[in-house]
């Protein structure tokens, strides 16, 4: 790969490994293991792995390595470790870095399973977790201590699309010697400058925009070569959360079109947000790309775009939201995001059903709220679908 290549070129070519057949499209190396010519060669490989050498698919595989190299080239990190799902990535990053007695600070607005790890699992192993309102830098500053090992947050929160200032939080973390770990799923690799903004470790659920077509689970942990190979890899390869070669192939092919998809989805999201912002049946339209979003300037500075998701609050609470959801014909009721198909999610009663009421209140998750992950359909068809559904 040339260092001068732009992101769009990297997304198509970086990390490619060709077999002796010179295939154009990346091969799927659907193999758990690798044959050694001699016993001496086997011994040598177990002693030290060469640049293009593999032992066992849980440790590494050529198709998985292609995906890791390509996404690292896009994100601008030295290395990456691909995982079986986004949650295997979050768990792997945190568990490999932390041990009993360590302290971390986390934003409270987290994806449900991330919150479970921070709130239930880490304390069980003696890791102390302090939660803050991630949008408030003063709370981060007060919570980060001299013995804080890491800070963890989602740069764009689910489902109410609040931004956390990566640069601001990373500066506070680094001042106390803590690492900055960013779950950047909602921002997408296309709109990410997380490393330049101070993130030490970036995590994606590849299930979302990287696949982008709702087919497979996957995840990735990105960081320095030392961090990935000395800290993350030993934990991941021995605990079994590695990505399958088949899924790595899906994600590799996903990366080739991600730039086009995400930009088209974001353009449609902005169009919908602008068209719906004064709709009489809606009490709120939340989209970071709108001037009316409280953190619009930060969104533009951090992502250069409003992203592929918006949230609307339908008047009439649960009844209003359900009437809208049940009347939509193009938008599907489901809970993935970043998909080619537009997906509508009522977080109050689905993804965030079990969250205590006071936390729902604090995060602004009301019964009328609908999260919209904008797909690749025609923007006019989507707007017609939504306005028709809102008028029922
Ligand atoms: C989906 C998601 C995850 C988990 O990813 P899976 O691939 O479903 O395991 C983690 N964080 C965020 C912000 C997500 O949206």
């Amino acid at each position: 790969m040339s260092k001068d290549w732009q992101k769009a070129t990297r997304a198509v070519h970086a990390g490619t490994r060709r077999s002796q057949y010179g295939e154009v499209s990346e091969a799927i190396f659907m193999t758990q293991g690798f044959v050694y010519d001699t016993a001496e060669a086997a011994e040598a490989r177990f002693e030290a792995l060469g640049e293009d050498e593999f032992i066992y698919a849980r440790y590494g595989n050529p198709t998985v390595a292609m995906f890791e190299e390509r996404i690292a080239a896009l994100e601008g990190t030295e290395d990456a470790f691909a995982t079986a799902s986004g949650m295997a990535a979050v768990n792997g990053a945190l568990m490999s870095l932390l041990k009993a007695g360590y302290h971390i600070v986390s934003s409270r607005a987290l994806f449900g399973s991330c919150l479970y790890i921070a709130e239930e699992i880490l304390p069980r192993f003696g890791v102390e977790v302090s939660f803050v309102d991630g949008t408030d830098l003063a709370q981060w500053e007060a919570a980060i201590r001299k013995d804080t090992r890491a800070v963890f947050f989602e740069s764009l929160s689910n489902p109410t699309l609040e931004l956390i200032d990566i640069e601001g939080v990373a500066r506070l973390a680094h001042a106390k010697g803590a690492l900055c770990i960013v779950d950047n799923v909602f921002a997408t690799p296309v709109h990410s400058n997380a490393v330049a903004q101070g993130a030490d470790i970036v995590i994606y659920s590849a299930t979302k925009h990287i696949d982008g077509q709702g087919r497979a689970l996957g995840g990735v942990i990105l960081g320095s070569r030392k961090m990935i190979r000395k800290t993350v890899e030993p934990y991941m390869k021995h605990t079994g959360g590695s990505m399958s070669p088949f899924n790595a192939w899906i994600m590799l092919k996903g990366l080739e079109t991600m730039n086009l998809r995400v930009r088209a989805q974001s353009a449609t999201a902005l169009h919908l947000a602008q068209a719906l912002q004064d709709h009489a049946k809606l009490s709120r339209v939340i989209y970071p790309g709108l001037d009316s979003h409280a953190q619009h300037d930060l969104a533009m500075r951090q992502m250069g775009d409003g992203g592929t998701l918006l949230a609307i609050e339908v008047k009439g609470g649960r009844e209003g939201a359900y009437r809208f959801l049940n009347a939509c014909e193009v938008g599907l009721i489901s809970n993935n995001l970043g998909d080619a198909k537009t997906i509508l999610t009522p977080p109050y009663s689905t993804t965030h059903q079990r969250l205590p009421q006071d936390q729902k209140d604090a995060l602004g998750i009301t019964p009328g709220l609908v999260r919209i992950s904008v797909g690749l359909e025609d923007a006019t068809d989507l707007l017609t679908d939504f306005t028709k559904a809102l008028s029922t």
Side-chain angles (χ1 to χ4, degrees), residues 102-132:
Y102 277 0
H103 173 248
I104 68 164
V105 183
S106 167
S107 73
R108 178 157 286 287
L110 291 180
F111 182 75
S113 302
C114 296
L115 187 62
Y116 179 78
I117 290 178
E119 217 170 25
E120 304 284 335
I121 299 182
L122 294 179
R124 234 193 267 164
F125 291 89
V127 175
E128 190 191 342
V129 185
S130 305
F131 288 100
V132 295

Side-chain angles (χ1 to χ4, degrees), residues 85-88 90 111 114 154 183 185-186 205 207-208 217-218 337:
S85 68
M87 286 322 302
V90 173
F111 182 75
C114 296
E154 291 166 17
D183 178 334
V185 171
F186 276 53
S205 162
T207 317
K208 313 294 167 54
L217 290 171
L337 61 101

Side-chain angles (χ1 to χ4, degrees), residues 156 161 186 191 266 269 287-290 299-300 303-309:
L156 181 58
L161 307 175
F186 276 53
H191 300 315
S266 300
Y287 183 64
L290 287 179
M300 290 303 121
M303 308 196 299
D305 197 282
T308 68
L309 289 115

Side-chain angles (χ1 to χ4, degrees), residues 270-337:
L270 175 62
H271 175 74
L272 291 170
Q274 284 170 337
L276 292 171
Q277 61 183 335
D278 298 318
H279 197 287
K281 291 279 183 76
L282 299 177
S283 43
R284 276 197 293 171
V285 173
I286 308 169
Y287 183 64
L290 287 179
D291 292 338
S292 62
H293 191 282
Q295 296 166 299
H296 177 67
D297 291 344
L298 175 59
M300 290 303 121
R301 201 163 68 236
Q302 188 156 295
M303 308 196 299
D305 197 282
T308 68
L309 289 115
L310 63 146
I312 58 174
E313 188 180 52
V314 185
K315 287 182 183 170
R318 175 191 145 109
E319 203 185 313
Y322 280 23
R323 200 182 311 120
F324 166 74
L325 288 163
N326 293 337
C328 280
E329 290 177 31
V330 183
L332 307 174
I333 305 168
S334 188
N335 41 266
N336 190 21
L337 61 101

